[in-house]
Each structure stands twice: as structure tokens, then as C-alpha cells.
Amino acid sequence: MTTTAVSHAVSPAPRRFRFGPLWLAAPGLAFLAVFFLVPVARLMGLSLEDADTGALTMAHYARIFDTDVYFRVLLITFRIAALTTLFSLLFGYPLAYWLARLPEHRRGTMILLVMVPFWTSYLVKSFAWVIVLGRTGVINQIGMGTGLLSEPLELLHNEFGVMVGMVHAMTPLAVLTMLPVMTGIDRRLTQASGTLGATPAKGFWLVYFPLSLPGAAAAGLLTFISSLGFFIVPALLGGRQQTMLAQLIIVQVQEILNWAFAGALAALMLTTALVTCWLYDRVFGLSSLSGEPSDGKSGRKGVLRGLGLAVLDALAGVSSAVSTGANRVLGQAVSTRMLAFYCALMFAFLMLPTLVVLPIGFTSSQFLEFPPPGYGLDWFRTYFTSDLWVAATIRSFGVAFATAIVATAIGGFAALALARSNSRWRGLIFALFLAPMIVPRIVIAVGLFYLFAQMGLVATDVGLVIGHTVLALPFAFVAIAAVLKSYDWRLDQAAATLGANRVQALRFVTVPLIKSGLTAAFLFAFITSFDELTVAIFVSGGVKTTLPKQMWDDMILQLNPTLAAVSVVVFIVVTTLLLAAERLRRSSQA
Amino acid sequence: MLAKPDQANQPKLLVDGLAKSYGPAVALKPTHLAVEPGEFLTLLGPSGSGKTTLLQMVSGLVAPTQGRLFIDGRDETQTPVHKRDIGLVFQHYALFPHLTVAENIGFPLKMRGLSSADIQKQVAGALEMVQLGHLAGRFPRELSGGQQQRVALARCFVYKPAIILMDEPLGALDKKLREHMQFEIKDLHRKTGATIIYVTHDQEEALALSDRICLMNHARVEQIGPPHEIYARPRTAFAADFIGISNIFRGRVECGADGATHLATASGRLRIDGDNLANDAEMALVVRPEHIELGSAGENEVRGNVAEIVYAGSETRLLVEVAADERVTVRVLPGKPLPKLGENITLSWKPEAAVLVTP
Ligand SMILES: Nc1ncnc2c1ncn2[C@@H]1O[C@H](COP(=O)(O)OP(=O)(O)O)[C@@H](O)[C@H]1O
Ligand SMILES: [Mg+2]
């Protein structure tokens, strides 16, 4: 037994081909290539082709800038998107700040007051604003009733209406985007600035604010890009003067069938979105989008940095003086409650309009009156006895279910692949799976419509599921990737040494342990599909409509209390699923 | 080529030139190693010396850059982890948090397709063996560190793998519990007759547990042998230094005309035994503290001032400064007279107590 070291020539280990983990992302990559990259690229291609000869031309672009009407739409779109971004950031920042400073368990609860409005269907939200802001709406009723108003205010079908709807729709996104960066800021830093002699106001502007800037900028980026592609809010709350780019694209495709021109408009929108992303990346680095600390890019810009610091200095001085003054006048207790009071107002702004719809679903009136003169289930009866509505509801559930399964499977394998891989392609693939969130939905939808028209998938459930899966994939992917981040891969190694093959390890160890993440992914994908309208507008043709599509058609044609009843159902379904998903997501992190 | 080992005393594990690099970084140089059936072999070495790498290549979790590996004479170099008949005890146990203690232990049996009745019986036996029968229904997070460790051991022993690998299994436990668990592991080894390869960076643990120690340094094997041999006959200064306390005198060989050989060190010329030593070669002489006597008693003597007196309970250690910045450690047993601090004393040892090693 003393043959300790055997010495002889070293024999080489023959190389064996191993399936790298990245292969698991292959189905997702193929899916996105065919149903996301190709259609979008094809649409861009169309915008450069002469419709008859196929020759390369810039004519469609020239037309946008030559025709006053189109150019004005372009300007209005940018104006509304920019204003929406500005106001969402202004209103959202203090709310996010307040949430970030709450103890963790309370933040978990309060954040639901942002999550619910975030996931509530845009249709329901816009419908709610019509009821609140209309000529005979809640505000005018109250104003006239109390004698504050002598005649009803014009709150709808103008820029005011659009801005209210847009800011209401986008503030939750802004808050949820900046929150991770803010919660990541080490609280001891502001405490340290206090011990170093800074007043709280100065500590905020000179320490906290600069650190939160990447988050705020990320929020601005996402808000701006999403606003660019909006059409529900301007269509329902705006007037002719507030027509936005996406509405124009819909008209070009649906009514005029001018693909090339629609493509040019879409290309313009996409380019703007990408340029904004690029600018953001240059200044902050895209990594701060996911709440990771900025990679210091912002620290390098000499002149900009000096200027920024000077501005902050001035702000710090002014607000320090103001808050000292305010403290003297109002007393310390009152001024510390100001923020909480403001947040209560914001929560009311975000939640109340939707809640107004609920009683109207139960109205006994023929009209959308608030408060309802009496209550009854008439409109639910109308809803549930209408073949059209019932078919649409069933289709929406079916499509959402299928979408959720496909998106969770594809997204799950992709997340698994990326979690285990350290390939240099990782970053690129990660970006690709998130890209459907960045590219305006209207661009994806029109691109898919063109593709589906060639494949014969228009007005089919398969087409809907494919389209919705493209949109839901980022949400499913992110939900699973988040759980895998804290997953202990040694457990898989342990399973392997104990005799489990790859499939068994996945089935008996990995999947049970990331089950909560998978379920959350399923639910988020389900919700995304369940109230998706953009793809549905194009792809669910004829009688085969989905619930949001049917709502949209009704809203355009004639508002009626059935819509309120439908809204109640949609709101309850989505909110229930959301709360379930959030609960699971949180329990998995505990 | 490798001569086919004869069936009768075939090693359980034969590592034939296994090596691993990560890009330009070498984690393990080509290594040869044979482990006998039922042997308890310890891989001992400082952090980063390649112990985990070697262990993981044996387990199949890491693919070697070159070399082969035989278990019971079969070439298993290409066998995937789950088909290789090995068991691995992880440093942080890697118990499945969603499974109970019994389900954790039953996991490898389930993977091998045993009937649930058999699984139940064997799990009960394994639980009995580690004295955890009363905790079968608990989840891992409801157990103490020591209990989790025992579950990990039971999960590994229950399917009787050909080889059991343990990577610093006691690293996460406190000292008292660690010593206790060492006994339990030793006991399990005796009871089961398993072949165990054990990784640690703790030399005391290695000395206490092993049949043989494989000392590793700088991504290669420094020396292999039974604990007493490695302690008494280290081959390199590193081996002498890493295991136990050593006094190392470095110097150059001087071959005298009369056939006597000396080592010229900072502390003086020391008489050494050795055949065919090249004149002027750099060598080192190792003398363990227990072999050094106070006073003059032989050929090899050094003188120095007592720089420190350290009381250590069962003995007292003297640190004697024999040259600038060179201190020799001497053990003095209780009851023997102690010199005073700063006193100039003579130290000596018997020539056969000293070991000549490469520096
Ligand atoms: N996955 C890896 N990638 C790159 N280097 C590694 C990897 N694993 C180990 N190494 C390197 O290989 C060397 C040996 O590591 P290891 O076998 O873990 O040492 P030990 O277990 O003895 O502490 C170390 O220098 C370590 O940095
Ligand atoms: Mg190690």
C-alpha cells in the first residue's frame, strides 16, 4: 500500500463536447429572432422601400416632414412625452423617496399602492378618468353641487385631460423604476453628512440626490419611451389636437393600409427610443436600469460634473434656508409630516379614479352617473348574457393562460441559461430578452401584423399568443432571473453527486426551489396578456376579439355602463393575480 | 503507458496525471495518486493549493484539462457526475432546503430507483448511524450546524458510494464541535470501511484522522505518506514547516576532505549525514522542538540567548535567538529547570533526530 505516487507519462484527457448552459436560451433566442427582431427589422425595411417597385427611397420620411399635419403630430408626441416624463418624475420622486426610507416590511405593503395602479389596465384607468373628468363627471358634479362651479369645466378632450391621464398612467412606472436605486443608497451616508455638519436639506441635495440620480434618470428613460408609444390615453382623453404618433400609425395600417408610411413613423419612434437609451447609457450606464450601482460613468464628466455640483450647492443653500424657515413657522412636527401627507395625496391620485369605476359597475342607471342613483346587477347581467363579451372574456383567459405557460417556459430556460453562463454573450442576450420592454409596443404590434398577414396568423389565437408572449417575456424573464440570483448552485452539484441527472436535478431540486419565482413569472405574464390591447387591435380581427379589444371598440363607439361592469371584472382579476404574484415573489426572497 | 494493475491489490482510485488550468492560471499541475480500498486519505495544504480542484475532478464536477482517472480500474474520466459512484460532502453541507431530513437522506436512493419501502428502511438505518432518528421530519433550517453536518454525512454514506469525498466538511463549525465531529467521522469510517478522501487546511485534523496525508502546495503534491512519516521525515522545508513546529536551519553543504559533511548556516556549522550531496548545494536541516536538549551533549550545538518563555500548559516553550532574526523553539517538559530570560544557553540534538530537506 506504499505505492504512493505513480509516475509515468501523462495521458491527455480526450475532449468531450459539452452542452454549455447557454443552449437553454436557444428557444427564447429563436423565438425573439423570428417574432421580434425580424418583424421590427422588416417594418423598418418597408419604410425605405417604394411600395410598387421595391426600390430604395426616402420618400416616406420626406412626407412626414413635408406634410404639416404629420410633422405637428410628431411635435405633439414629443411634447406630451416630455411633459409626462417631467411631471411623473416630479410627482414620483418624493413618493419613491418616502417609500425607500420606510422599514422593509412596511415598504412591502405600501408599495402595493403603486403596484396596483401600475398593473391596472390602461383601458380601465382611462375609462375612469372619463368618468371623473367628463362634463357630467365626478368633479363637475361635485363642483356644481356645492356651488363652487357655475358651469362645468372642460377637463376632457384637451391637453389637460391627456396630461392627467398620462401622468397618472406613468407615475407608478417612474416610482417603481427609481425605487431600487433609492433603497440601495446607504442610509448611513446621509447620517454621516449630518454628523459632518450638514443640515438635513443640505444632506439631501449634496449626498442623497446625486446618488439617486441614476434611478431617477432610468425612470425618466422608461417613462419617456413608454409615453412615446401611447395611444389609449390620448384617444380617450384627448381631442384632435392631441393626436399622437401611435394613433397615426394605427390609422395608416388599419384604414389606409399604407405599410411603408406606417413603417417610417414606427422607425422614427423606435429611433427616438433607441437614441434616448444610448444617451442614457453614455451618461449613466445601462446597468443602473436594473438598480445596480452606477458604474461611475457619471463621475468622469469634468465640466458637467462641476456645473451639476454648483447647481446642487445652490439648491442645497436655498432649500436649507427654506426648510429652516418653515420649521420655525410650522414647527418641526408639522414639516416632517408634510412628506407623508403629500404621499397620502399621491396614493389617492393613483388609486381613487379606478375605485370610482367600481360602484358604477353596479349602477341601476342607464348612464355613467356618479354617484349612482341606485344599485343593481343589471350591467353584469348584460355583460354575462352577451355572446360577444363572454366569448371575448373566454378568449382572453385562454390566450393569457397559454401566453403565461409559454413565456414562463421560454423565459425560465433563458434565465437559467444566463444565471449559469459566464459567456461574453451574456450581456447581449440579457439585453435582448429585455428589449421588448424598451421597443414601443406599437412598433412590435405593427411589425407582427405584417408578419402574421404573410403567415396566415391574423385573427388566430396562435397569433395572439405569440404576440403576447413577445411582450410578456421580459416580465417572466426578470421574475425568474431575480429568484435565480440568490439560488445556491451547489445544491445542483450536490444532486448530481448523489446520482441525479440534469433533468432530475432540475425537476427535484431547482424547480421546487424556484417555484415561487416561476409562479410569479406565470402570473405577471398572465396579467400582461390579459389586458394587452396593442397587439390585439391588429391581430384579433373580426368576431374573435379579446376583452381589451372589445372594451376598446366599445369605448371608441359609445361609452356605456357595461364597460364599467367589465372594468370591475378586469380590475378584480388583475389585482388578485398581482397580489398573489407579489406575495410569492416576496416569500421567495425571505 | 500505465501497466494494468493486477486485480488483487487494485487501488480504489487511481489519479493518473490529472491537471487543471483556468486559462493561463494553473489550478493543479499533473498529479499522480493512488488510493487503496478502505483508506482514509487527507489532502492537506494551504488555501489555493489545488485541493478542491483535485477533489472536484475526482467527483466529476470539474472536467480535467488533461490526465485520467480510474475507479476500481475502470476509466471514469468521461463519466458524468451522476453516474460516477462517488459521494461528496460539501463544506456548507448543501442540504436541500425544501426536503426534510429523511427526504434529503433518501434522495440518492430515489435517484437510484429504489422502492419506497427500501428507501425507508435504509434511511432509518442511516439516521440511526448518525443518531438523528428523532429529527427525521425536520427541515434543514431547523437543525443546528452539527446536526446538519451529520445529515450531510448520512446522505453520503447511505448509498455506499465507492469513494466518499469531503471538502473541509468541518470548516463551518466551532472548534469544540469540530473535534467532536472528527471522532464521529473516524468512527463512521471504521464502521463502514468506506474509502474516504478528505480535504482540510488544518494540520491537526489531518494528523488525527488520516491513514495517509497528501500534502499539497503550489498546485502540486508536495509529499504523501502516513502522518507519523510526514511528521518525522518531511522531505521539504515546506512540509516540515506546515506540519507541527519545526526549527529549520538553512545553509550550504560543505563536503570536508575527511568525508564529514557540514551545513554552513547562520547559526554555525552543523554536522549532517548524507551521501552524494553536492558541494555548495542549498539545503535545510529540520529539528523538531522535542528533540532539542538544553546543554551540550553531542556534535551539533548552537548557542543563543533566551528571547521568550511561553507557558503552554503541558509544556513550556523557549524561543532562543541563535542568530540575528533566527529563533529556535525548544520544548521543556514540566518539572525540568528553566533558564532565565536573556540567559546565554547551549542547545544540542542527536544527529539521527535531524532531517535534511530541500529548502
Ligand atoms: N473556477 C475557477 N476559475 C479560475 N481559477 C480557479 C477556479 N477555481 C479555482 N481556481 C484557482 O485554482 C487554484 C486552486 O484552487 P482550489 O483548488 O480551490 O484551492 P484549495 O481548495 O486548495 O484552497 C486557486 O489559485 C484558485 O484561485
Ligand atoms: Mg478549497
Side-chain angles (χ1 to χ4, degrees):
Chain A
M1 110 128 217
T2 38
T3 33
T4 49
V6 192
S7 53
H8 40 72
V10 172
S11 34
R15 275 203 172 271
R16 182 167 45 131
F17 179 75
R18 283 194 180 224
F19 260 105
L22 222 47
W23 281 97
L24 289 175
L29 290 175
F31 181 86
L32 285 176
V34 176
F35 296 113
F36 173 63
L37 292 180
V38 167
V40 170
R42 185 75 194 96
L43 188 62
M44 302 298 109
L46 283 176
S47 74
L48 292 168
E49 278 174 22
D50 187 293
D52 301 319
T53 61
L56 204 63
T57 172
M58 291 300 287
H60 310 299
Y61 290 92
R63 195 170 148 217
I64 301 177
F65 294 96
D66 288 349
T67 322
D68 196 34
V69 190
Y70 299 140
F71 190 61
R72 227 180 28 238
V73 169
L74 208 62
L75 289 184
I76 287 168
T77 305
F78 288 141
R79 179 188 153 84
I80 292 181
L83 285 176
T84 304
T85 307
L86 181 69
F87 285 115
S88 302
L89 288 182
L90 280 180
F91 291 150
Y93 189 94
L95 189 56
Y97 174 80
W98 183 76
L99 282 171
R101 293 171 62 97
L102 286 180
E104 193 137 0
H105 60 281
R106 274 205 61 209
R107 188 190 318 137
T109 317
M110 298 310 283
I111 208 172
L112 290 176
L113 293 175
V114 184
M115 298 285 285
V116 171
F118 177 73
W119 284 99
T120 302
S121 160
Y122 289 131
L123 286 166
V124 174
K125 282 188 277 198
S126 303
F127 180 59
W129 281 114
V130 172
I131 294 172
V132 173
L133 299 178
R135 259 191 96 78
T136 55
V138 178
I139 290 182
N140 279 326
Q141 294 278 340
I142 295 173
M144 305 281 281
T146 55
L148 278 174
L149 297 173
S150 53
E151 57 182 298
L153 293 172
E154 290 299 337
L155 302 170
L156 266 191
H157 308 303
N158 52 27
E159 191 166 12
F160 176 80
V162 175
M163 284 313 297
V164 170
M166 294 286 286
V167 172
H168 178 250
M170 284 295 131
T171 304
L173 175 65
V175 172
L176 292 176
T177 312
M178 47 186 141
L179 195 55
V181 173
M182 288 188 177
T183 48
I185 295 175
D186 191 342
R187 197 179 276 220
R188 282 167 304 186
L189 289 177
T190 32
Q191 287 170 355
S193 77
T195 65
L196 296 171
T199 62
K202 279 190 175 161
F204 171 80
W205 287 108
L206 299 179
V207 178
Y208 191 93
F209 185 76
L211 289 173
S212 70
L213 216 48
L221 171 76
L222 289 186
T223 322
F224 183 72
I225 291 176
S226 309
S227 305
L228 275 183
F230 252 62
F231 62 91
I232 300 175
V233 174
L236 294 174
L237 304 180
R240 264 199 129 14
Q241 295 299 313
Q242 285 78 43
T243 306
M244 287 177 72
L245 202 46
Q247 292 166 276
L248 205 55
I249 295 177
I250 294 176
V251 170
Q252 290 298 320
V253 173
Q254 283 203 315
E255 292 166 25
I256 313 177
L257 287 177
N258 189 344
W259 286 99
F261 191 56
L265 294 172
L268 221 54
M269 190 187 282
L270 182 59
T271 311
T272 312
L274 293 182
V275 166
T276 320
C277 272
W278 177 78
L279 275 178
Y280 177 86
D281 185 43
R282 289 310 303 264
V283 181
F284 294 101
L286 275 178
S287 65
S288 33
L289 264 186
S290 52
E292 276 158 34
S294 121
D295 43 12
K297 280 192 184 175
S298 52
R300 270 189 273 127
K301 311 267 180 302
V303 184
L304 220 60
R305 183 166 181 275
L307 199 67
L309 286 182
V311 171
L312 287 177
D313 245 0
L315 281 172
V318 172
S319 66
S320 179
V322 168
S323 73
T324 318
N327 274 352
R328 207 166 294 147
V329 177
L330 299 171
Q332 182 77 34
V334 176
S335 48
T336 48
R337 295 237 171 91
M338 293 265 282
L339 184 60
F341 179 67
Y342 167 83
C343 291
L345 276 183
M346 277 307 288
F347 285 136
F349 169 67
L350 292 178
M351 292 291 298
L352 281 185
T354 322
L355 296 183
V356 163
V357 177
L358 302 184
I360 292 187
F362 296 91
T363 189
S364 58
S365 161
Q366 294 292 317
F367 308 100
L368 295 167
E369 297 173 68
F370 191 89
Y375 293 94
L377 291 173
D378 293 352
W379 298 106
F380 284 94
R381 211 164 292 130
T382 316
Y383 173 14
F384 289 120
T385 51
S386 152
D387 287 344
L388 204 58
W389 279 112
V390 170
T393 308
I394 292 173
R395 171 157 301 101
S396 274
F397 269 103
V399 167
F401 189 78
T403 300
I405 299 255
V406 178
T408 306
I410 294 181
F413 281 119
L416 215 54
L418 289 186
R420 304 226 56 180
S421 157
N422 39 23
S423 148
R424 63 208 159 95
W425 298 104
R426 211 173 157 266
L428 195 65
I429 296 175
F430 202 88
L432 180 60
F433 275 95
L434 294 190
M437 220 155 39
I438 303 277
V439 174
R441 281 191 181 189
I442 185 82
V443 177
I444 303 175
V446 174
L448 274 177
F449 186 31
Y450 189 80
L451 180 76
F452 286 173
Q454 289 166 330
M455 297 171 71
L457 285 176
V458 173
T460 64
D461 291 347
V462 174
L464 272 175
V465 171
I466 291 175
H468 287 181
T469 302
V470 172
L471 302 180
L473 206 45
F475 293 101
F477 175 75
V478 166
I480 300 168
V483 197
L484 286 176
K485 228 179 196 171
S486 57
Y487 183 73
D488 183 359
W489 292 104
R490 276 173 309 190
L491 294 175
D492 276 47
Q493 296 193 338
T497 65
L498 294 171
N501 60 33
R502 292 256 174 109
V503 178
Q504 284 172 318
L506 198 65
R507 184 172 150 211
F508 294 117
V509 178
T510 317
V511 167
L513 282 171
I514 63 167
K515 200 170 55 194
S516 54
L518 291 173
T519 318
F522 179 93
L523 293 175
F524 283 132
F526 190 99
I527 300 174
T528 305
S529 166
F530 191 73
D531 66 27
E532 200 288 331
L533 176 63
T534 319
V535 166
I537 280 189
F538 298 104
V539 175
S540 71
V543 285
K544 288 192 140 192
T545 70
T546 63
L547 204 50
K549 173 70 162 47
Q550 188 60 40
M551 287 174 78
W552 170 251
D553 288 346
D554 261 37
M555 283 186 193
I556 298 284
L557 213 63
Q558 174 68 60
L559 295 177
N560 55 60
T562 318
L563 281 169
V566 178
S567 294
V568 170
V569 172
V570 171
F571 180 76
I572 289 175
V573 168
V574 169
T575 307
T576 311
L577 294 181
L578 167 69
L579 295 182
E582 270 302 293
R583 219 191 134 117
L584 278 167
R585 203 175 57 80
R586 221 160 290 144
S587 72
S588 73
Q589 282 169 356
Chain B
M1 268 313 296
L2 177 73
K4 190 94 188 141
D6 101 53
Q7 256 347 83
N9 61 27
Q10 193 172 57
K12 194 74 187 171
L13 171 73
L14 187 63
V15 168
D16 178 19
L18 277 191
K20 179 72 186 177
S21 331
Y22 293 99
V26 178
L28 188 70
K29 292 181 184 155
T31 296
H32 302 277
L33 184 70
V35 183
E36 303 302 323
E39 188 177 7
F40 194 120
L41 179 89
T42 299
L43 303 180
L44 172 68
S47 171
S49 56
K51 308 182 296 289
T52 297
T53 304
L54 177 54
L55 207 67
Q56 296 213 313
M57 285 195 291
V58 173
S59 73
L61 288 172
V62 164
T65 320
Q66 56 171 322
R68 286 164 180 283
L69 175 137
F70 299 84
I71 296 175
D72 287 327
R74 290 184 313 274
D75 186 343
E76 302 260 1
T77 319
Q78 301 297 332
T79 314
V81 191
H82 65 278
K83 292 198 184 132
R84 223 177 260 205
D85 191 19
I86 46 97
L88 179 56
V89 179
F90 290 72
Q91 176 165 7
H92 294 282
Y93 323 136
L95 297 177
F96 303 125
H98 62 303
L99 301 182
T100 62
V101 166
E103 286 164 344
N104 260 286
I105 299 175
F107 188 90
L109 304 175
K110 187 169 156 191
M111 292 304 113
R112 285 164 175 73
L114 267 64
S115 74
S116 53
D118 282 348
I119 292 180
Q120 238 175 5
K121 210 169 73 207
Q122 294 192 30
V123 167
L127 278 169
E128 195 60 38
M129 193 169 68
V130 294
Q131 297 138 38
L132 284 180
H134 56 296
L135 298 179
R138 293 254 189 111
F139 284 96
R141 62 174 174 277
E142 298 164 338
L143 304 180
S144 71
Q147 289 169 334
Q148 291 187 26
Q149 177 60 67
R150 279 193 227 137
V151 176
L153 289 173
R155 187 175 70 173
C156 195
F157 278 92
V158 73
Y159 62 102
K160 303 188 179 64
I163 303 168
I164 292 178
L165 312 172
M166 303 191 188
D167 193 354
E168 313 217 9
L170 307 182
L173 303 180
D174 61 49
K175 190 167 157 46
K176 255 242 144 61
L177 193 54
R178 201 159 64 213
E179 280 166 6
H180 176 75
M181 288 303 298
Q182 284 175 10
F183 280 116
E184 296 207 4
I185 289 176
K186 189 88 197 160
D187 195 44
L188 276 174
H189 176 238
R190 246 194 310 269
K191 273 195 266 185
T192 58
T195 308
I196 295 180
I197 304 181
Y198 188 96
V199 166
T200 182
H201 63 259
D202 178 347
Q203 47 115 359
E204 282 182 37
E205 196 166 290
L207 291 173
L209 288 174
S210 326
D211 294 329
R212 278 193 306 158
I213 293 175
C214 170
L215 186 64
M216 301 187 63
N217 190 27
H218 293 313
R220 59 183 193 81
V221 174
E222 189 92 12
Q223 186 171 354
I224 303 182
H228 60 86
E229 185 184 303
I230 294 215
Y231 184 82
R233 298 274 137 207
R235 279 211 293 267
T236 61
F238 169 80
D241 198 34
F242 197 78
I243 296 178
I245 303 174
S246 295
N247 298 302
I248 302 176
F249 303 93
R250 290 165 209 274
R252 287 176 183 284
V253 174
E254 288 179 358
C255 299
D258 53 350
T261 320
H262 286 86
L263 196 66
T265 72
S267 335
R269 285 181 86 228
L270 302 174
R271 174 73 199 268
I272 52 175
D273 290 330
D275 317 320
N276 38 22
L277 282 171
N279 201 14
D280 225 24
E282 299 236 17
M283 293 299 269
L285 195 67
V286 173
V287 190
R288 298 287 183 188
E290 61 269 29
H291 293 135
I292 296 185
E293 284 162 38
L294 300 184
S296 174
E299 283 178 87
N300 276 326
E301 288 184 9
V302 291
R303 291 189 67 81
N305 296 330
V306 178
E308 201 82 70
I309 301 177
V310 182
Y311 177 66
S314 57
E315 66 189 47
T316 302
R317 287 185 202 137
L318 305 180
L319 298 183
V320 183
E321 191 147 301
V322 293
D325 283 335
E326 245 185 70
R327 289 179 173 191
V328 167
T329 310
V330 187
R331 285 173 70 185
V332 183
L333 294 179
K336 296 270 175 79
L338 286 171
K340 282 196 271 301
L341 204 62
E343 192 180 327
N344 193 278
I345 58 172
T346 304
L347 306 173
S348 62
W349 59 86
K350 298 201 176 75
E352 63 270 25
V355 186
L356 194 64
V357 301
T358 54

